[in-house]
Coordinates of all heavy atoms in Angstrom, one line a residue:
M1 N -69.4 -47.9 -4.9 CA -68.2 -48.3 -4.0 C -67.0 -48.5 -4.9 O -67.1 -49.2 -5.9 CB -68.6 -49.5 -3.2 CG -67.5 -49.9 -2.2 SD -67.9 -51.5 -1.4 CE -69.5 -51.1 -0.8
K2 N -65.9 -47.9 -4.5 CA -64.7 -48.0 -5.3 C -64.1 -49.4 -5.0 O -63.8 -49.7 -3.8 CB -63.7 -46.9 -5.0 CG -64.2 -45.5 -5.4 CD -63.9 -45.3 -6.9 CE -64.2 -43.9 -7.3 NZ -65.6 -43.7 -7.7
I3 N -63.9 -50.2 -6.0 CA -63.3 -51.5 -5.8 C -62.0 -51.7 -6.6 O -61.6 -52.9 -6.8 CB -64.4 -52.6 -6.2 CG1 -64.8 -52.4 -7.6 CG2 -65.5 -52.6 -5.2 CD1 -65.7 -53.6 -8.1
T4 N -61.4 -50.6 -7.0 CA -60.2 -50.7 -7.8 C -59.1 -51.6 -7.0 O -58.9 -51.4 -5.8 CB -59.6 -49.3 -8.0 OG1 -60.5 -48.6 -8.7 CG2 -58.3 -49.4 -8.8
D5 N -58.6 -52.5 -7.7 CA -57.5 -53.4 -7.2 C -58.0 -54.4 -6.1 O -57.1 -55.0 -5.4 CB -56.3 -52.6 -6.7 CG -55.6 -51.9 -7.9 OD1 -55.7 -52.4 -9.0 OD2 -54.9 -50.9 -7.7
F6 N -59.3 -54.5 -5.9 CA -59.7 -55.5 -4.9 C -59.4 -56.9 -5.4 O -59.3 -57.1 -6.6 CB -61.3 -55.4 -4.7 CG -61.7 -54.4 -3.7 CD1 -61.0 -53.2 -3.5 CD2 -62.9 -54.6 -3.0 CE1 -61.4 -52.3 -2.6 CE2 -63.3 -53.7 -2.1 CZ -62.6 -52.5 -1.8
L7 N -59.2 -57.8 -4.5 CA -59.0 -59.2 -4.9 C -60.3 -59.8 -5.2 O -61.3 -59.6 -4.5 CB -58.3 -59.9 -3.7 CG -58.0 -61.4 -3.8 CD1 -57.0 -61.6 -4.9 CD2 -57.6 -62.0 -2.5
V8 N -60.4 -60.5 -6.3 CA -61.7 -61.0 -6.8 C -61.7 -62.5 -6.8 O -60.8 -63.1 -7.3 CB -62.0 -60.5 -8.2 CG1 -63.4 -61.0 -8.7 CG2 -62.0 -59.0 -8.3
M9 N -62.7 -63.1 -6.1 CA -62.7 -64.6 -5.9 C -64.1 -65.1 -6.3 O -65.1 -64.4 -6.2 CB -62.3 -64.9 -4.5 CG -60.9 -64.6 -4.2 SD -60.5 -64.9 -2.4 CE -61.4 -63.4 -1.8
D10 N -64.1 -66.4 -6.6 CA -65.3 -67.1 -6.8 C -65.9 -67.6 -5.5 O -65.3 -67.3 -4.4 CB -65.2 -68.2 -7.8 CG -64.3 -69.4 -7.3 OD1 -64.0 -69.4 -6.1 OD2 -63.9 -70.2 -8.2
T11 N -67.0 -68.2 -5.5 CA -67.7 -68.7 -4.3 C -66.8 -69.6 -3.4 O -66.9 -69.5 -2.2 CB -69.0 -69.4 -4.7 OG1 -69.9 -68.5 -5.4 CG2 -69.7 -70.0 -3.5
D12 N -65.9 -70.3 -4.1 CA -65.0 -71.2 -3.3 C -63.8 -70.5 -2.8 O -62.9 -71.1 -2.2 CB -64.6 -72.4 -4.2 CG -65.8 -73.2 -4.7 OD1 -66.7 -73.4 -3.9 OD2 -65.7 -73.7 -5.8
G13 N -63.6 -69.2 -3.1 CA -62.5 -68.5 -2.6 C -61.3 -68.6 -3.5 O -60.2 -68.2 -3.0
N14 N -61.4 -69.0 -4.7 CA -60.3 -69.1 -5.6 C -60.3 -67.8 -6.4 O -61.3 -67.3 -6.9 CB -60.5 -70.2 -6.6 CG -60.5 -71.6 -5.9 OD1 -59.6 -71.9 -5.2 ND2 -61.5 -72.4 -6.2
E15 N -59.1 -67.2 -6.5 CA -59.0 -66.0 -7.3 C -59.3 -66.2 -8.7 O -58.9 -67.2 -9.3 CB -57.5 -65.5 -7.1 CG -57.4 -64.0 -7.7 CD -56.0 -63.5 -7.4 OE1 -55.2 -64.1 -6.7 OE2 -55.7 -62.4 -7.9
I16 N -60.1 -65.3 -9.3 CA -60.4 -65.4 -10.7 C -59.9 -64.2 -11.5 O -59.6 -63.1 -11.0 CB -62.0 -65.6 -10.9 CG1 -62.7 -64.3 -10.6 CG2 -62.5 -66.8 -10.1 CD1 -64.2 -64.4 -11.0
L17 N -59.9 -64.4 -12.8 CA -59.4 -63.3 -13.7 C -60.5 -62.2 -13.8 O -61.6 -62.5 -14.1 CB -59.2 -64.0 -15.1 CG -58.4 -63.2 -16.1 CD1 -57.0 -62.9 -15.6 CD2 -58.3 -63.9 -17.4
A18 N -60.1 -61.0 -13.4 CA -61.1 -59.9 -13.3 C -60.3 -58.6 -13.4 O -59.1 -58.6 -13.2 CB -61.9 -60.0 -12.0
D19 N -61.1 -57.6 -13.7 CA -60.5 -56.2 -13.8 C -61.4 -55.3 -13.0 O -62.3 -54.6 -13.6 CB -60.4 -55.8 -15.2 CG -59.6 -54.5 -15.4 OD1 -59.1 -54.0 -14.4 OD2 -59.5 -54.0 -16.5
P20 N -61.2 -55.1 -11.7 CA -62.0 -54.2 -10.9 C -61.4 -52.8 -11.1 O -60.2 -52.6 -10.9 CB -61.8 -54.7 -9.5 CG -60.5 -55.5 -9.4 CD -60.2 -55.9 -10.9
H21 N -62.3 -51.8 -11.4 CA -61.8 -50.5 -11.7 C -62.9 -49.5 -11.3 O -64.0 -49.6 -11.9 CB -61.3 -50.3 -13.1 CG -60.8 -48.9 -13.3 ND1 -59.5 -48.5 -13.0 CD2 -61.4 -47.8 -13.9 CE1 -59.3 -47.2 -13.3 NE2 -60.5 -46.8 -13.9
G22 N -62.6 -48.6 -10.4 CA -63.7 -47.6 -10.0 C -64.8 -48.4 -9.4 O -64.6 -49.2 -8.4
N23 N -66.0 -48.2 -9.9 CA -67.2 -48.9 -9.4 C -67.5 -50.1 -10.2 O -68.5 -50.8 -10.0 CB -68.5 -48.0 -9.5 CG -68.3 -46.8 -8.6 OD1 -68.0 -46.8 -7.5 ND2 -68.6 -45.6 -9.2
N24 N -66.7 -50.4 -11.2 CA -67.0 -51.4 -12.2 C -66.1 -52.6 -12.0 O -64.9 -52.5 -11.6 CB -66.8 -50.9 -13.6 CG -67.7 -49.7 -13.8 OD1 -68.9 -49.7 -13.5 ND2 -67.1 -48.6 -14.4
L25 N -66.7 -53.8 -12.4 CA -65.9 -55.0 -12.3 C -66.2 -55.8 -13.6 O -67.3 -56.2 -13.9 CB -66.3 -55.9 -11.1 CG -65.7 -57.3 -11.1 CD1 -64.2 -57.2 -10.9 CD2 -66.4 -58.1 -10.0
A26 N -65.1 -56.0 -14.4 CA -65.2 -56.9 -15.5 C -64.6 -58.2 -15.1 O -63.5 -58.3 -14.5 CB -64.4 -56.3 -16.7
F27 N -65.3 -59.3 -15.4 CA -64.7 -60.6 -15.1 C -65.1 -61.7 -16.1 O -66.1 -61.5 -16.9 CB -65.2 -61.1 -13.6 CG -66.6 -61.2 -13.5 CD1 -67.2 -62.5 -13.6 CD2 -67.4 -60.2 -13.2 CE1 -68.6 -62.7 -13.4 CE2 -68.8 -60.3 -13.0 CZ -69.4 -61.6 -13.1
A28 N -64.4 -62.8 -16.1 CA -64.7 -63.9 -17.0 C -65.7 -64.7 -16.3 O -65.5 -65.2 -15.2 CB -63.4 -64.6 -17.3
C29 N -66.8 -65.0 -17.0 CA -67.9 -65.9 -16.5 C -67.3 -67.2 -16.0 O -66.6 -67.9 -16.8 CB -68.9 -66.1 -17.5 SG -70.2 -67.3 -17.1
P30 N -67.4 -67.5 -14.7 CA -66.8 -68.8 -14.2 C -67.4 -70.0 -14.9 O -66.8 -71.1 -14.9 CB -67.1 -68.8 -12.7 CG -67.3 -67.3 -12.4 CD -68.0 -66.7 -13.6
N31 N -68.6 -69.8 -15.5 CA -69.3 -71.0 -16.1 C -68.8 -71.2 -17.5 O -68.6 -72.3 -17.9 CB -70.8 -70.7 -16.1 CG -71.6 -71.9 -16.5 OD1 -71.3 -73.0 -16.1 ND2 -72.6 -71.7 -17.3
C32 N -68.6 -70.1 -18.3 CA -68.3 -70.3 -19.7 C -67.1 -69.5 -20.2 O -66.7 -69.7 -21.3 CB -69.5 -70.0 -20.6 SG -69.9 -68.3 -20.7
G33 N -66.7 -68.5 -19.4 CA -65.5 -67.7 -19.8 C -65.8 -66.5 -20.5 O -64.9 -65.7 -20.9
A34 N -67.1 -66.2 -20.8 CA -67.4 -65.0 -21.6 C -67.3 -63.8 -20.6 O -67.3 -63.9 -19.4 CB -68.9 -65.1 -22.0
P35 N -67.0 -62.6 -21.2 CA -66.9 -61.4 -20.3 C -68.2 -61.0 -19.7 O -69.3 -61.0 -20.4 CB -66.4 -60.3 -21.3 CG -66.8 -60.8 -22.7 CD -66.8 -62.3 -22.6
V36 N -68.2 -60.6 -18.5 CA -69.4 -60.1 -17.8 C -69.0 -58.8 -17.1 O -67.8 -58.7 -16.6 CB -69.9 -61.1 -16.7 CG1 -71.1 -60.6 -16.0 CG2 -70.1 -62.4 -17.3
L37 N -69.9 -57.8 -17.0 CA -69.6 -56.5 -16.4 C -70.6 -56.4 -15.2 O -71.8 -56.5 -15.4 CB -69.8 -55.4 -17.3 CG -69.5 -54.0 -16.7 CD1 -68.0 -53.8 -16.4 CD2 -69.9 -52.9 -17.7
A38 N -70.1 -56.1 -14.0 CA -70.9 -55.8 -12.8 C -70.5 -54.4 -12.3 O -69.5 -53.9 -12.6 CB -70.6 -56.9 -11.8
V39 N -71.5 -53.8 -11.6 CA -71.3 -52.5 -11.1 C -71.5 -52.5 -9.6 O -72.6 -53.0 -9.1 CB -72.3 -51.5 -11.8 CG1 -72.0 -50.1 -11.2 CG2 -72.1 -51.5 -13.3
A40 N -70.6 -52.0 -8.8 CA -70.6 -52.1 -7.3 C -71.4 -50.9 -6.8 O -70.9 -50.2 -5.9 CB -69.2 -52.2 -6.8
L41 N -72.6 -50.7 -7.3 CA -73.5 -49.6 -6.8 C -74.8 -50.2 -6.5 O -75.3 -51.1 -7.2 CB -73.6 -48.5 -7.8 CG -72.3 -47.7 -8.1 CD1 -72.5 -46.7 -9.2 CD2 -71.8 -46.9 -6.8
E42 N -75.5 -49.6 -5.5 CA -76.8 -50.1 -5.1 C -77.8 -50.2 -6.3 O -77.9 -49.3 -7.0 CB -77.4 -49.2 -4.0 CG -78.5 -49.8 -3.3 CD -78.9 -49.0 -2.0 OE1 -78.2 -48.1 -1.7 OE2 -80.0 -49.3 -1.4
N43 N -78.4 -51.4 -6.4 CA -79.4 -51.6 -7.4 C -78.9 -51.6 -8.8 O -79.7 -51.6 -9.8 CB -80.6 -50.7 -7.3 CG -81.3 -50.9 -5.9 OD1 -81.2 -52.0 -5.3 ND2 -82.1 -49.9 -5.5
Q44 N -77.6 -51.6 -9.0 CA -77.1 -51.8 -10.4 C -76.8 -53.3 -10.6 O -76.9 -54.1 -9.7 CB -75.8 -51.0 -10.5 CG -76.0 -49.5 -10.4 CD -76.8 -48.9 -11.4 OE1 -76.6 -49.0 -12.6 NE2 -77.9 -48.2 -11.0
R45 N -76.4 -53.6 -11.8 CA -76.2 -55.0 -12.2 C -75.1 -55.6 -11.3 O -74.0 -55.1 -11.3 CB -75.9 -55.1 -13.7 CG -74.9 -54.2 -14.1 CD -74.1 -54.7 -15.4 NE -75.0 -54.9 -16.5 CZ -74.6 -55.4 -17.6 NH1 -73.4 -55.8 -17.8 NH2 -75.4 -55.6 -18.6
G46 N -75.5 -56.7 -10.7 CA -74.5 -57.4 -9.9 C -74.5 -57.0 -8.4 O -73.8 -57.5 -7.6
W47 N -75.5 -56.1 -8.0 CA -75.5 -55.7 -6.6 C -76.1 -56.8 -5.7 O -75.6 -57.0 -4.6 CB -76.4 -54.4 -6.5 CG -76.6 -53.9 -5.1 CD1 -77.7 -54.0 -4.3 CD2 -75.6 -53.2 -4.3 NE1 -77.4 -53.4 -3.1 CE2 -76.1 -52.9 -3.1 CE3 -74.2 -52.8 -4.6 CZ2 -75.4 -52.3 -2.1 CZ3 -73.5 -52.2 -3.6 CH2 -74.1 -51.9 -2.4
D48 N -77.1 -57.5 -6.1 CA -77.7 -58.5 -5.3 C -78.4 -59.5 -6.3 O -78.4 -59.3 -7.5 CB -78.6 -58.0 -4.2 CG -79.7 -57.2 -4.7 OD1 -80.1 -57.3 -5.9 OD2 -80.3 -56.4 -3.9
E49 N -79.1 -60.5 -5.7 CA -79.8 -61.5 -6.5 C -80.8 -60.9 -7.4 O -81.1 -61.4 -8.5 CB -80.5 -62.6 -5.6 CG -79.5 -63.5 -4.9 CD -79.3 -63.2 -3.5 OE1 -79.2 -62.0 -3.1 OE2 -79.2 -64.1 -2.7
E50 N -81.5 -59.8 -6.9 CA -82.6 -59.2 -7.6 C -82.0 -58.4 -8.8 O -82.7 -58.1 -9.8 CB -83.3 -58.2 -6.7 CG -83.9 -58.8 -5.5 CD -85.2 -59.5 -5.7 OE1 -86.2 -58.8 -6.0 OE2 -85.2 -60.8 -5.6
H51 N -80.8 -57.9 -8.6 CA -80.1 -57.1 -9.7 C -78.8 -57.8 -10.1 O -77.7 -57.3 -9.8 CB -79.8 -55.7 -9.1 CG -81.0 -55.0 -8.5 ND1 -81.4 -55.2 -7.3 CD2 -81.9 -54.2 -9.1 CE1 -82.5 -54.5 -7.0 NE2 -82.9 -53.8 -8.1
S52 N -79.0 -58.9 -10.7 CA -77.8 -59.7 -11.1 C -77.2 -59.2 -12.4 O -77.8 -58.6 -13.2 CB -78.1 -61.2 -11.2 OG -79.0 -61.4 -12.3
A53 N -75.9 -59.5 -12.5 CA -75.2 -59.2 -13.8 C -75.2 -60.5 -14.5 O -74.8 -61.6 -14.1 CB -73.7 -58.9 -13.5
K54 N -75.9 -60.5 -15.7 CA -76.1 -61.7 -16.5 C -75.0 -61.9 -17.5 O -74.7 -61.0 -18.3 CB -77.5 -61.6 -17.1 CG -78.6 -62.1 -16.2 CD -79.7 -62.8 -17.0 CE -80.5 -63.6 -16.0 NZ -81.4 -64.6 -16.7
C55 N -74.6 -63.1 -17.6 CA -73.7 -63.5 -18.7 C -74.5 -63.6 -20.0 O -75.5 -64.2 -20.0 CB -73.0 -64.9 -18.4 SG -72.1 -65.5 -19.8
R56 N -74.0 -62.9 -21.0 CA -74.8 -62.8 -22.2 C -74.7 -64.1 -23.0 O -75.4 -64.3 -24.0 CB -74.4 -61.6 -23.1 CG -74.6 -60.3 -22.3 CD -74.2 -59.1 -23.1 NE -75.0 -58.9 -24.3 CZ -75.1 -57.8 -25.0 NH1 -74.4 -56.8 -24.6 NH2 -75.8 -57.7 -26.1
N57 N -73.7 -64.9 -22.7 CA -73.5 -66.1 -23.4 C -74.2 -67.3 -22.9 O -74.9 -68.0 -23.6 CB -72.0 -66.4 -23.5 CG -71.6 -67.6 -24.4 OD1 -72.1 -67.7 -25.5 ND2 -70.9 -68.5 -23.8
C58 N -74.1 -67.5 -21.5 CA -74.8 -68.7 -20.9 C -75.9 -68.4 -20.0 O -76.6 -69.3 -19.5 CB -73.7 -69.6 -20.2 SG -73.2 -68.8 -18.7
D59 N -76.2 -67.1 -19.9 CA -77.4 -66.6 -19.1 C -77.3 -66.8 -17.6 O -78.3 -66.6 -16.9 CB -78.7 -67.3 -19.6 CG -79.8 -66.3 -19.8 OD1 -79.5 -65.1 -20.1 OD2 -81.0 -66.7 -19.7
T60 N -76.1 -67.2 -17.1 CA -76.0 -67.3 -15.6 C -75.9 -65.9 -15.0 O -75.2 -65.0 -15.5 CB -74.7 -68.0 -15.3 OG1 -74.7 -69.3 -15.9 CG2 -74.5 -68.2 -13.8
G61 N -76.7 -65.7 -13.9 CA -76.6 -64.4 -13.2 C -75.6 -64.4 -12.1 O -75.4 -65.5 -11.5
Y62 N -75.0 -63.3 -11.8 CA -74.0 -63.2 -10.7 C -74.3 -61.9 -9.9 O -74.8 -60.9 -10.4 CB -72.6 -63.1 -11.3 CG -72.2 -64.3 -12.1 CD1 -72.3 -64.4 -13.5 CD2 -71.7 -65.4 -11.4 CE1 -71.9 -65.5 -14.2 CE2 -71.4 -66.6 -12.1 CZ -71.5 -66.6 -13.5 OH -71.2 -67.7 -14.1
F63 N -73.9 -62.0 -8.6 CA -73.9 -60.8 -7.8 C -72.7 -60.8 -6.9 O -72.0 -61.8 -6.7 CB -75.2 -60.7 -6.9 CG -75.3 -61.8 -5.9 CD1 -75.0 -61.6 -4.6 CD2 -75.8 -63.1 -6.3 CE1 -75.1 -62.6 -3.7 CE2 -76.0 -64.1 -5.3 CZ -75.6 -63.8 -4.0
L64 N -72.4 -59.6 -6.5 CA -71.1 -59.3 -5.8 C -71.3 -59.4 -4.3 O -72.3 -58.9 -3.8 CB -70.5 -58.0 -6.2 CG -70.4 -57.7 -7.7 CD1 -69.8 -56.3 -7.9 CD2 -69.5 -58.7 -8.3
D65 N -70.4 -59.9 -3.6 CA -70.3 -59.9 -2.1 C -69.0 -59.2 -1.7 O -68.0 -59.8 -1.8 CB -70.3 -61.4 -1.7 CG -70.2 -61.5 -0.2 OD1 -70.3 -60.5 0.5 OD2 -70.0 -62.7 0.3
I66 N -69.2 -57.9 -1.4 CA -68.0 -57.0 -1.3 C -67.6 -56.9 0.2 O -68.4 -56.6 1.0 CB -68.3 -55.6 -1.8 CG1 -68.8 -55.8 -3.3 CG2 -67.1 -54.7 -1.7 CD1 -69.3 -54.5 -3.9
R67 N -66.4 -57.2 0.5 CA -65.8 -57.0 1.8 C -64.9 -55.9 1.8 O -63.7 -56.0 1.5 CB -65.1 -58.3 2.2 CG -65.9 -59.6 2.0 CD -67.1 -59.7 2.9 NE -67.9 -60.8 2.5 CZ -67.8 -62.1 3.0 NH1 -66.8 -62.3 3.8 NH2 -68.6 -63.0 2.6
E68 N -65.4 -54.7 2.1 CA -64.7 -53.5 1.9 C -63.4 -53.4 2.7 O -62.4 -52.9 2.3 CB -65.6 -52.2 2.1 CG -65.0 -50.9 1.6 CD -66.0 -49.8 1.7 OE1 -67.0 -49.9 2.3 OE2 -65.7 -48.7 1.1
Q69 N -63.6 -53.8 4.0 CA -62.4 -53.7 4.9 C -61.2 -54.5 4.5 O -60.1 -54.1 4.6 CB -62.8 -54.2 6.3 CG -63.9 -53.3 7.0 CD -63.5 -51.9 7.3 OE1 -62.4 -51.6 7.6 NE2 -64.5 -51.0 7.2
A70 N -61.5 -55.7 3.9 CA -60.5 -56.6 3.5 C -60.0 -56.3 2.1 O -59.1 -57.0 1.6 CB -61.0 -58.0 3.6
Q71 N -60.7 -55.4 1.4 CA -60.4 -55.1 0.0 C -60.5 -56.3 -0.9 O -59.6 -56.6 -1.7 CB -59.1 -54.4 -0.1 CG -59.0 -53.1 0.6 CD -58.3 -52.0 -0.1 OE1 -57.3 -52.3 -0.8 NE2 -58.7 -50.8 0.0
K72 N -61.6 -57.1 -0.7 CA -61.8 -58.2 -1.6 C -63.3 -58.4 -1.8 O -64.1 -57.8 -1.1 CB -61.2 -59.5 -0.9 CG -61.8 -59.9 0.4 CD -61.1 -61.1 0.9 CE -61.9 -61.6 2.2 NZ -61.2 -62.7 2.8
L73 N -63.6 -59.2 -2.8 CA -65.0 -59.5 -3.1 C -65.1 -60.8 -3.7 O -64.2 -61.4 -4.3 CB -65.6 -58.4 -4.0 CG -65.0 -58.2 -5.4 CD1 -65.7 -59.1 -6.4 CD2 -65.2 -56.8 -5.9
Y74 N -66.3 -61.4 -3.5 CA -66.7 -62.7 -4.0 C -67.8 -62.5 -5.1 O -68.6 -61.6 -4.9 CB -67.2 -63.6 -2.9 CG -66.2 -63.9 -1.8 CD1 -66.1 -63.1 -0.7 CD2 -65.4 -65.1 -1.9 CE1 -65.2 -63.4 0.3 CE2 -64.5 -65.4 -0.9 CZ -64.4 -64.5 0.2 OH -63.5 -64.8 1.2
I75 N -67.7 -63.3 -6.1 CA -68.7 -63.3 -7.1 C -69.5 -64.6 -6.9 O -69.0 -65.7 -7.1 CB -68.1 -63.3 -8.5 CG1 -67.3 -62.0 -8.8 CG2 -69.2 -63.5 -9.6 CD1 -66.5 -62.0 -10.0
H76 N -70.8 -64.4 -6.6 CA -71.7 -65.6 -6.4 C -72.7 -65.7 -7.6 O -73.3 -64.7 -8.0 CB -72.5 -65.4 -5.1 CG -71.7 -65.3 -3.9 ND1 -70.8 -66.3 -3.5 CD2 -71.6 -64.4 -2.9 CE1 -70.2 -66.0 -2.4 NE2 -70.7 -64.8 -2.0
P77 N -72.9 -67.0 -8.0 CA -73.9 -67.2 -9.0 C -75.3 -67.1 -8.4 O -75.5 -67.5 -7.2 CB -73.6 -68.6 -9.6 CG -72.9 -69.2 -8.5 CD -72.2 -68.2 -7.7
V78 N -76.3 -66.6 -9.2 CA -77.7 -66.7 -8.7 C -78.2 -68.1 -9.0 O -78.2 -68.5 -10.2 CB -78.5 -65.7 -9.4 CG1 -80.0 -65.8 -9.0 CG2 -78.1 -64.3 -9.1
L79 N -78.4 -68.9 -8.0 CA -78.8 -70.3 -8.2 C -80.0 -70.5 -9.1 O -81.0 -69.8 -8.8 CB -78.9 -71.0 -6.9 CG -77.7 -71.0 -6.0 CD1 -77.9 -71.7 -4.7 CD2 -76.5 -71.7 -6.7
G80 N -80.0 -71.3 -10.0 CA -81.1 -71.6 -10.9 C -81.3 -70.6 -12.0 O -82.4 -70.5 -12.6
S81 N -80.3 -69.7 -12.2 CA -80.5 -68.6 -13.2 C -80.2 -69.0 -14.6 O -80.4 -68.3 -15.5 CB -79.6 -67.4 -12.8 OG -78.3 -67.7 -12.9
N82 N -79.6 -70.2 -14.8 CA -79.3 -70.6 -16.2 C -79.8 -72.0 -16.5 O -80.5 -72.6 -15.6 CB -77.8 -70.5 -16.5 CG -77.0 -71.6 -15.8 OD1 -77.5 -72.1 -14.8 ND2 -75.9 -71.9 -16.3
Ligands
LIG1 ZN1 -71.3 -67.5 -19.1

């Protein structure tokens, strides 16, 4: 799914520093600030809890909640992943 220029927010709806481009999303880990890469394609990293994008620094997993109509997405942590 193309997510270029989508608004990127955390679970609380606060906009976070991120770079959505094509199917890819680079964002700063909300937990520690390290860079994380997620891919907005089925069964790729960040698609759902089972296929989370993991922060390599603090080990927190994340998945995307994409609202295509509104051109925005939420980044949710996988609870208990770190
Ligand atoms: Zn982190």
Side-chain angles (χ1 to χ4, degrees):
M1 186 184 305
K2 294 278 186 269
I3 55 170
T4 302
D5 292 335
F6 275 32
L7 181 65
V8 181
M9 291 173 288
D10 65 14
T11 297
D12 298 325
N14 297 310
E15 190 173 354
I16 67 169
L17 195 59
D19 188 6
H21 182 79
N23 301 311
N24 302 313
L25 173 67
F27 62 96
C29 173
N31 190 43
C32 75
V36 182
L37 182 70
V39 181
L41 293 173
E42 194 169 353
N43 296 338
Q44 297 295 306
R45 49 156 59 189
W47 180 253
D48 57 20
E49 290 103 319
E50 307 275 292
H51 306 85
S52 65
K54 277 215 162 194
C55 173
R56 298 179 68 161
N57 186 49
C58 72
D59 225 30
T60 304
Y62 297 98
F63 64 98
L64 308 179
D65 175 9
I66 304 169
R67 311 293 169 87
E68 194 172 11
Q69 298 296 327
Q71 300 219 327
K72 64 183 184 182
L73 62 88
Y74 296 89
I75 296 173
H76 297 303
V78 178
L79 299 178
S81 64
N82 71 338

